Amino acid sequence: MNNKVLPRWSRLDNAAKIFPSNSSMRDSKVFRFVCELKDFINPVILQTALDRAVEQFPFFQSVMKRGAFWYYLEESDIKPVVQKEYELPCIPLYDTNKESLLFRVLYYNKRVSVEIYHTLTDGTGALQFFRTLIYYYLLERHCEEFASVPSLDYDASWFQKRDDSFQKYYEKPNGTKISKRKKAYCLNKEHLPDRHLSIIEGKMSLKSLLECSRSMGITITELLTSLFIMAIHQEMNLREQKEPIVITIPVNLRNYFPSESARNFFTVINAGYNFSYQEDSLEVVASYIRQVFKEELKEEKLKEQMNVWSALEHNILIRLLPLFVKDAILRTAAFIMRRKTTASFSNVGRVSMPKEMEKYINLFTAYTSPDILQACSCSFGDNYVISFASPFYSRDVERTFFRFLTQMGIEVEIAANKIETGK
């Protein structure tokens, strides 16, 4: 009699379903979190910390497989192993021809990085895993210096972490439709070779940034979104200004609907501005963006949007379509949405660690592998870091963005990777 225990598997959550169909060498759908410590990394201790972190997030030890109708995750006995970083950032993790885990942990000098395929989790879920990894690393690395064991402020159960919150909060929509958007202005720049990214990090004082945003009566996210729009506007000629600049902003739904899930649980809002009939002034742009955020970030509106998108997977006709047809539909949908998006900005927010461990950490930062220009930001202590990731040779938008900040009196320390300047 065969007593073999079948591997535990799970369906992809609603947000995850679009990523497998649209992953490529250029756009791997992989994103990265980085923690810069004060001391050089000990890889042996980092491996021990990774082993302990995976015990807390067992479904991270999964591979993705193709079914007849949907992709799905299956738990695996493949052990994650820390690697010294030598490859390009955010290279593909999912390979249709090879079973592999959907995340990797890297180290280089004083930096630890985790790269995760977006199908597995979103930024919030990844950050909880990453914080757990850094927690166990510092606990082991400096064990003799802690009078007592510090506690981490995330103690969700195994079931809560695996929870598909889209299913938990889904209600059949009452006829609400997502408003249609027109084609947006798209940055028409020369692309870097596949797998290559332009990365620029700008580090500044959180206190200075807060003072600046508060003086304008807006939040940091609203200020940075407005500056992003202004910087992109500098790249446009008069003819192009007929099209709106549209910034897509991910929204963590856990802030609106109680959830401890470490899977995907987010939606997006779109902040658009058209300079052909709206004023070219930071104050006016910021005031308009503030109103957009106020209207879009309402619980009832986010709920409606979540239900409309979730309803698609509950549609019996769509469920019966074979996977190759779904792939084609999702690729087409993603192509259409890209034409309606100029760039993306994700504010991860403040990263917290146990107070006893803060002195060992310099900063956190994040970025993703994009097919458009994307910015990510997060803060730790007074260090606020904005990271731009781009598939383009040109860095003019990023330079203009940081120049705007310095003109506002905010000192910015910039670091960038080297990219090829010619072919």
Side-chain angles (χ1 to χ4, degrees):
M1 183 175 180
N2 189 353
N3 293 320
K4 183 179 179 181
V5 178
L6 294 176
R8 187 175 284 112
W9 68 278
S10 60
R11 297 182 177 88
L12 300 190
D13 58 74
N14 179 261
K17 285 183 168 63
I18 196 169
F19 298 120
S21 307
N22 290 280
S23 302
S24 65
M25 294 299 290
R26 182 179 296 281
D27 183 13
S28 64
K29 305 302 181 187
V30 172
F31 60 93
R32 170 185 284 207
F33 276 100
V34 180
C35 178
E36 183 178 285
L37 301 177
K38 299 291 179 67
D39 299 317
F40 286 92
I41 306 302
N42 182 318
V44 176
I45 295 177
L46 183 59
Q47 181 64 56
T48 300
L50 176 56
D51 294 342
R52 295 185 68 181
V54 170
E55 289 178 2
Q56 301 299 315
F57 293 79
F59 76 93
F60 271 44
Q61 198 168 337
S62 298
V63 297
M64 189 168 69
K65 294 192 172 183
R66 293 173 60 97
F69 299 97
W70 295 106
Y71 294 92
Y72 63 96
L73 298 177
E74 183 177 272
E75 291 187 12
S76 168
D77 58 2
I78 300 174
K79 181 182 177 180
V81 178
V82 301
Q83 307 166 50
K84 186 171 183 178
E85 185 169 359
Y86 64 92
E87 292 265 23
L88 296 168
C90 297
I91 61 174
L93 274 162
Y94 172 59
D95 185 343
T96 56
N97 300 313
K98 177 184 176 183
E99 282 196 1
S100 58
L101 298 179
L102 304 178
F103 76 98
R104 61 172 71 96
V105 173
L106 309 167
Y107 68 94
Y108 184 79
N109 290 342
K110 299 179 181 181
R111 288 194 163 200
V112 178
S113 304
V114 61
E115 293 185 344
I116 296 186
Y117 187 43
H118 219 322
T119 293
L120 187 62
T121 184
D122 60 13
T124 302
L127 183 57
Q128 297 292 18
F129 173 76
F130 193 42
R131 290 171 66 238
T132 303
L133 172 67
I134 299 301
Y135 168 80
Y136 283 130
Y137 176 81
L138 293 176
L139 196 63
E140 178 74 15
R141 182 75 171 80
H142 302 283
C143 58
E144 72 285 351
E145 299 180 40
F146 297 123
S148 59
V149 178
S151 60
L152 193 64
D153 60 352
Y154 182 63
D155 60 352
S157 70
W158 182 86
F159 292 100
Q160 287 174 317
K161 290 170 184 171
R162 282 182 64 98
D163 181 47
D164 183 347
S165 293
F166 285 108
Q167 294 290 346
K168 180 178 179 179
Y169 289 104
Y170 173 72
E171 294 177 359
K172 188 175 181 180
N174 55 7
T176 304
K177 294 183 179 180
I178 299 296
S179 57
K180 293 184 178 181
R181 291 157 40 212
K182 297 180 180 178
K183 182 182 180 298
Y185 168 68
C186 295
L187 289 162
N188 187 20
K189 305 291 183 181
E190 183 180 6
H191 279 81
L192 291 161
D194 283 357
R195 295 174 31 141
H196 287 252
L197 291 176
S198 167
I199 308 293
I200 299 181
E201 292 180 358
K203 184 177 73 172
M204 64 210 71
S205 165
L206 173 61
K207 181 181 178 182
S208 298
L209 196 58
L210 268 173
E211 289 175 352
C212 188
S213 65
R214 286 171 178 170
S215 70
M216 298 177 65
I218 57 178
T219 66
I220 286 179
T221 304
E222 291 162 352
L223 171 61
L224 297 179
T225 302
S226 302
L227 290 175
F228 203 179
I229 290 172
M230 294 289 291
I232 293 171
H233 179 229
Q234 299 295 307
E235 294 294 295
M236 303 173 74
N237 58 42
L238 286 175
R239 178 178 53 81
E240 291 169 333
Q241 291 183 26
K242 295 178 182 178
E243 297 174 331
I245 295 172
V246 179
I247 308 296
T248 293
I249 300 143
V251 177
N252 179 13
L253 290 172
R254 298 168 187 82
N255 293 333
Y256 300 87
F257 308 97
S259 170
E260 295 291 341
S261 177
R263 300 176 69 183
N264 286 289
F265 192 44
F266 74 98
T267 187
V268 297
I269 64 171
N270 299 287
Y273 196 87
N274 195 318
F275 284 94
S276 67
Y277 60 85
Q278 291 175 287
E279 290 186 45
D280 180 7
S281 156
L282 177 59
E283 290 72 20
V284 175
V285 173
S287 177
Y288 181 82
I289 294 302
R290 178 167 178 74
Q291 188 60 35
V292 170
F293 276 55
K294 184 178 179 180
E295 291 298 318
E296 294 296 321
L297 294 177
K298 292 179 178 177
E299 183 176 321
E300 60 272 19
K301 191 157 188 177
L302 294 172
K303 177 76 169 179
E304 289 174 357
Q305 181 174 322
M306 181 172 60
N307 286 336
V308 169
W309 290 118
S310 295
L312 295 175
E313 68 174 295
H314 290 270
N315 185 298
I316 187 63
L317 295 179
I318 292 178
R319 291 174 66 179
L320 291 175
L321 292 174
L323 184 57
F324 74 91
V325 176
K326 290 189 179 82
D327 278 342
I329 293 172
L330 290 172
R331 279 193 290 268
T332 301
F335 173 77
I336 293 172
M337 294 307 295
R338 277 195 297 272
R339 292 172 57 85
K340 298 178 180 181
T341 303
T342 307
S344 175
F345 172 51
S346 176
N347 187 355
V348 175
R350 188 176 75 90
V351 180
S352 64
M353 290 294 291
K355 189 172 183 61
E356 302 93 326
M357 294 180 168
E358 290 179 356
K359 63 182 179 181
Y360 304 111
I361 303 171
N362 185 23
L363 57 81
F364 282 85
T365 185
Y367 56 86
T368 186
S369 172
D371 57 350
I372 58 174
L373 177 60
Q374 294 195 14
C376 293
S377 68
C378 62
S379 66
F380 179 79
D382 191 48
N383 283 332
Y384 192 98
V385 183
I386 305 171
S387 302
F388 285 91
S390 166
F392 307 122
Y393 280 102
S394 173
R395 288 171 161 174
D396 292 342
V397 171
E398 298 94 309
R399 290 192 186 99
T400 302
F401 177 90
F402 288 123
R403 187 171 68 246
F404 284 156
L405 283 172
T406 57
Q407 289 171 352
M408 298 172 75
I410 299 173
E411 294 184 6
V412 183
E413 181 182 325
I414 295 176
N417 68 336
K418 292 182 180 179
I419 58 174
E420 299 176 16
T421 57
K423 295 183 178 179

